[in-house]
Amino acid sequence: MLIPLRSGEHECAEVEISLISGNVQFAIDKLLRYETDMAWIGGSHRRPPAQVEFIPVYEDELWFVSPPKHPLAGRSAAPDELLASPFVLREPGSYTLEALLSLCRAAELPEPLPAVRVNGPQEALRAALAGLGVTLASAMEARSYVESGSLVRIEAAGLRASNIISCCVRSGGPLPPQAKSFLEQIPNYPSIAACRL
């Protein structure tokens, strides 16, 4: 999730803001080790730890995308046809991988064969751009590639998944003032504040 924030625009301008990318498990681990005060997580966690509070903020779609020259690009495909294609798969701990495997189980279809496994959402999109296979990606992350024509969506009946974007914090205590100040910069902060702060 991109948050427009320029240096000096927040109340605690002397505080350094670091943006680190990782999967769901990586973000939860950083929270539990007190290495971060908050995390923005796409997707859910099968068994969220009691020490982490997920505050849903936005619902995003997950899209199947491929390079334009893929045989299924831009058309509707049967689920078994789509899942028989080589896939760019995310790493264990990724919600996107869990969502894909869940779709396979629900459709009673085998897991797709990996053309390659990558660590990270942008790496998955770049591998799809390079023609390595189909990938399942957040619409927020894939939209600019689809709009430019670099990647193309593939629809498959019954294979739909959503991606809940949540602000995650440790349970049971107030946020540091700097973290609270940062959240106040976010357009839908009041809905987050009503849940937690």
Side-chain angles (χ1 to χ4, degrees), residues 24 44-46 62 89-105 136 161:
V24 173
S44 61
H45 197 268
R46 279 180 287 162
L62 291 175
L89 297 179
R90 290 280 309 278
E91 75 285 358
S94 157
Y95 170 73
T96 307
L97 176 63
E98 291 300 320
L100 177 60
L101 299 179
S102 177
L103 289 172
C104 293
R105 286 189 295 273
L136 183 64

Side-chain angles (χ1 to χ4, degrees), residues 51-133:
Q51 310 94 310
V52 176
E53 186 174 348
F54 280 68
I55 305 161
V57 177
Y58 176 76
E59 185 170 1
D60 186 28
E61 291 180 280
L62 291 175
W63 290 348
F64 290 100
V65 293
S66 73
K69 292 184 179 181
H70 189 280
L72 301 177
R75 57 176 268 238
S76 289
D80 58 341
E81 183 183 22
L82 174 61
L83 295 172
S85 297
F87 261 75
V88 175
L89 297 179
R90 290 280 309 278
E91 75 285 358
S94 157
Y95 170 73
T96 307
L97 176 63
E98 291 300 320
L100 177 60
L101 299 179
S102 177
L103 289 172
C104 293
R105 286 189 295 273
E108 298 181 350
L109 292 168
E111 296 177 8
L113 295 174
V116 65
R117 285 189 185 269
V118 297
N119 188 5
Q122 288 303 312
E123 291 76 7
L125 289 167
R126 282 196 291 275
L129 283 165
L132 296 177

Side-chain angles (χ1 to χ4, degrees), residues 1-193:
M1 174 172 286
L2 299 176
I3 301 167
L5 196 73
R6 289 183 289 281
S7 179
E9 282 193 353
H10 51 92
E11 185 177 304
C12 302
E14 69 281 0
V15 174
E16 181 180 325
I17 297 172
S18 297
L19 299 176
I20 303 168
S21 177
N23 65 36
V24 173
Q25 193 57 55
F26 173 83
I28 288 173
D29 290 346
K30 285 194 109 26
L31 277 169
L32 295 178
R33 289 192 307 260
Y34 287 78
E35 294 173 5
T36 189
D37 293 313
M38 75 181 76
W40 291 87
I41 294 178
S44 61
H45 197 268
R46 279 180 287 162
R47 291 179 294 281
Q51 310 94 310
V52 176
E53 186 174 348
F54 280 68
I55 305 161
V57 177
Y58 176 76
E59 185 170 1
D60 186 28
E61 291 180 280
L62 291 175
W63 290 348
F64 290 100
V65 293
S66 73
K69 292 184 179 181
H70 189 280
L72 301 177
R75 57 176 268 238
S76 289
D80 58 341
E81 183 183 22
L82 174 61
L83 295 172
S85 297
F87 261 75
V88 175
L89 297 179
R90 290 280 309 278
E91 75 285 358
S94 157
Y95 170 73
T96 307
L97 176 63
E98 291 300 320
L100 177 60
L101 299 179
S102 177
L103 289 172
C104 293
R105 286 189 295 273
E108 298 181 350
L109 292 168
E111 296 177 8
L113 295 174
V116 65
R117 285 189 185 269
V118 297
N119 188 5
Q122 288 303 312
E123 291 76 7
L125 289 167
R126 282 196 291 275
L129 283 165
L132 296 177
V134 174
T135 197
L136 183 64
S138 162
M140 284 181 7
E141 292 167 332
R143 182 170 279 110
S144 63
Y145 296 110
V146 170
E147 288 174 353
S148 72
S150 302
L151 291 173
V152 180
R153 288 184 66 186
I154 300 172
E155 300 285 340
L159 296 182
R160 298 211 190 296
S162 64
N163 184 29
I164 305 297
I165 309 297
S166 299
C167 176
C168 297
V169 295
R170 284 181 300 279
S171 301
L175 280 173
Q178 300 88 340
K180 187 171 187 243
S181 174
F182 176 80
L183 283 177
E184 289 169 351
Q185 308 295 314
I186 297 169
N188 53 354
Y189 168 75
S191 67
I192 299 169

